[in-house]
Amino acid sequence: MPQLITQAVLNKVVVDGKWVINPSFRVITVPSQWSDIAFSLLEAEFDEEVLDPKERLETWLLETKNGTHDFPFLWVVGYIEYQGEEYLLGTLDGNLMPLVDWALHDELFHAPLMDDGSCIFTIGRQVTATVVRQEKVRGVGTGLFHFGVDAAHRQAQAQGRHISYFVLESEERSKVFWQKLGFLWPEGTVYWQPPLEFDEATGKPLRPAVKETLMFRPAKINGSSPPTITPALLRDTIATIYTYWSMHPFREMISQKQEKLHDALRVAEKSVMRDLLNECESHLPATEGIRLISPTE
């Protein structure tokens, strides 16, 4: 049974800040002891308003394995094997999201997918065990990310799609770490993480939107000039994230309820897909190409 790394074990496998035994990485494919211990780490590190319920993540695992998930879920862990036991070092999760063409959305805030097979891989959360961070042992976060990137590309190829960007919502304290991994900020933009839960009777968000920094890492970087992104693609990316992470779970829940609750869905859709998305769009720079730059510039 996997367990969280402890200080005592870390002292055995790290000498002078370096791993004596190299960390390993794996993909969680079904609910298991690995998902249990990984979620316990997430619960300890993230506020409730930015963390999906465990039941939802496990449902996503099963639907992804069965090929029925609209935005396939990827959950990876880093761990170390020591004296026959496996110890969790960190975890990363995210979703492969086919891009929507928001310019063609209908009055119910549904938009068709881009016809070129393009998608984004949106990182939900990444965290390293507390004792590993405290001892400043390097390699776990970077290893998780690069293992996740490779797994995401394989996931996209299996669906006949290609990843244009890796995207994430960054807290202030994490921006420097993500910048080191190639993530950049669309200059001048303002972004709100949408609410994840809504009152099923009224459609009102149970928690407010959270202002964070939206960061992009191009899947391919060509040339030496700073990369740019068009306002339209940035808008489509935000609409894609809002559609899948915020609205999709509520739409699924309402579809299984009584017809009278559909009014609540309309309220939720307007608050996110109209009001919040319009607020983000109102801050987009009036330029053909928005520079992707260091978030600390």
Side-chain angles (χ1 to χ4, degrees), residues 104-211:
L104 300 179
H105 77 274
D106 61 23
E107 67 276 5
L108 297 179
F109 305 103
H110 293 266
L113 302 181
M114 294 289 185
D115 58 12
D116 63 354
S118 60
C119 59
I120 56 175
F121 184 81
T122 309
I123 295 174
R125 293 150 291 263
Q126 176 170 314
V127 64
T128 303
T130 301
V131 294
V132 176
R133 297 199 311 271
Q134 289 175 341
E135 294 298 323
K136 298 181 180 180
V137 186
R138 297 183 178 181
V140 177
T142 301
L144 276 168
F145 173 71
H146 288 299
F147 182 84
V149 165
D150 291 342
H153 278 302
R154 292 194 300 270
Q155 195 176 58
Q157 290 168 3
Q159 292 201 341
R161 295 187 173 276
H162 65 273
I163 297 174
S164 301
Y165 289 93
F166 291 86
V167 186
L168 58 86
E169 304 162 327
S170 177
E171 297 177 342
E172 188 67 27
R173 61 180 179 175
S174 303
K175 290 193 293 187
V176 172
F177 170 77
W178 290 117
Q179 183 183 341
K180 290 178 180 178
L181 291 175
F183 282 85
L184 299 167
W185 170 61
E187 186 177 22
T189 59
V190 178
Y191 174 80
W192 281 266
Q193 182 191 62
L196 301 178
E197 302 288 340
F198 302 86
D199 185 284
E200 69 176 52
T202 66
K204 293 182 179 180
L206 296 181
R207 297 177 182 84
V210 179
K211 191 174 182 180

Side-chain angles (χ1 to χ4, degrees), residues 21-240:
I21 304 172
N22 290 328
S24 300
F25 302 93
R26 67 191 299 168
V27 176
I28 302 175
T29 58
V30 295
S32 63
Q33 293 175 338
W34 279 110
S35 59
D36 290 341
I37 190 67
F39 191 80
S40 69
L41 180 57
L42 294 175
E43 277 189 309
E45 295 293 333
F46 289 97
D47 294 333
E48 191 176 67
E49 61 264 23
V50 298
L51 182 60
D52 292 283
K54 182 184 178 185
E55 294 76 14
R56 179 179 298 162
L57 300 184
E58 292 184 335
T59 297
W60 286 357
L61 281 177
L62 292 174
E63 291 178 346
T64 297
K65 182 177 178 60
N66 296 334
T68 59
H69 197 38
D70 292 336
F71 50 113
F73 184 51
L74 178 66
W75 200 350
V76 303
V77 291
Y79 64 100
I80 200 160
E81 296 183 44
Y82 176 68
Q83 293 187 346
E85 301 288 344
E86 295 171 319
Y87 296 92
L88 180 70
L89 304 175
T91 181
L92 175 148
D93 66 75
N95 294 84
L96 186 71
M97 299 181 174
L99 273 169
V100 302
D101 189 346
W102 193 244
L104 300 179
H105 77 274
D106 61 23
E107 67 276 5
L108 297 179
F109 305 103
H110 293 266
L113 302 181
M114 294 289 185
D115 58 12
D116 63 354
S118 60
C119 59
I120 56 175
F121 184 81
T122 309
I123 295 174
R125 293 150 291 263
Q126 176 170 314
V127 64
T128 303
T130 301
V131 294
V132 176
R133 297 199 311 271
Q134 289 175 341
E135 294 298 323
K136 298 181 180 180
V137 186
R138 297 183 178 181
V140 177
T142 301
L144 276 168
F145 173 71
H146 288 299
F147 182 84
V149 165
D150 291 342
H153 278 302
R154 292 194 300 270
Q155 195 176 58
Q157 290 168 3
Q159 292 201 341
R161 295 187 173 276
H162 65 273
I163 297 174
S164 301
Y165 289 93
F166 291 86
V167 186
L168 58 86
E169 304 162 327
S170 177
E171 297 177 342
E172 188 67 27
R173 61 180 179 175
S174 303
K175 290 193 293 187
V176 172
F177 170 77
W178 290 117
Q179 183 183 341
K180 290 178 180 178
L181 291 175
F183 282 85
L184 299 167
W185 170 61
E187 186 177 22
T189 59
V190 178
Y191 174 80
W192 281 266
Q193 182 191 62
L196 301 178
E197 302 288 340
F198 302 86
D199 185 284
E200 69 176 52
T202 66
K204 293 182 179 180
L206 296 181
R207 297 177 182 84
V210 179
K211 191 174 182 180
E212 294 194 341
T213 301
L214 192 66
M215 300 181 70
F216 290 72
R217 182 183 189 269
K220 296 181 180 179
I221 300 178
N222 299 316
S224 58
S225 60
T228 62
I229 186 171
T230 65
L233 181 53
L234 182 52
R235 177 204 61 202
D236 290 342
T237 298
I238 297 172
T240 297

Side-chain angles (χ1 to χ4, degrees), residues 235-256:
R235 177 204 61 202
D236 290 342
T237 298
I238 297 172
T240 297
I241 294 171
Y242 283 11
T243 295
Y244 292 122
W245 271 352
S246 182
M247 297 316 310
H248 186 277
F250 195 55
R251 285 169 172 165
E252 288 278 292
M253 186 272 290
I254 291 295
S255 71
Q256 301 170 14

Side-chain angles (χ1 to χ4, degrees), residues 272-294:
V272 174
M273 303 309 299
R274 184 189 66 186
D275 300 342
L276 196 58
L277 182 56
N278 285 348
E279 181 66 20
C280 291
E281 193 169 1
S282 71
H283 291 275
L284 296 183
T287 178
E288 292 184 0
I290 302 172
R291 291 198 311 154
L292 297 177
I293 64 171
S294 164

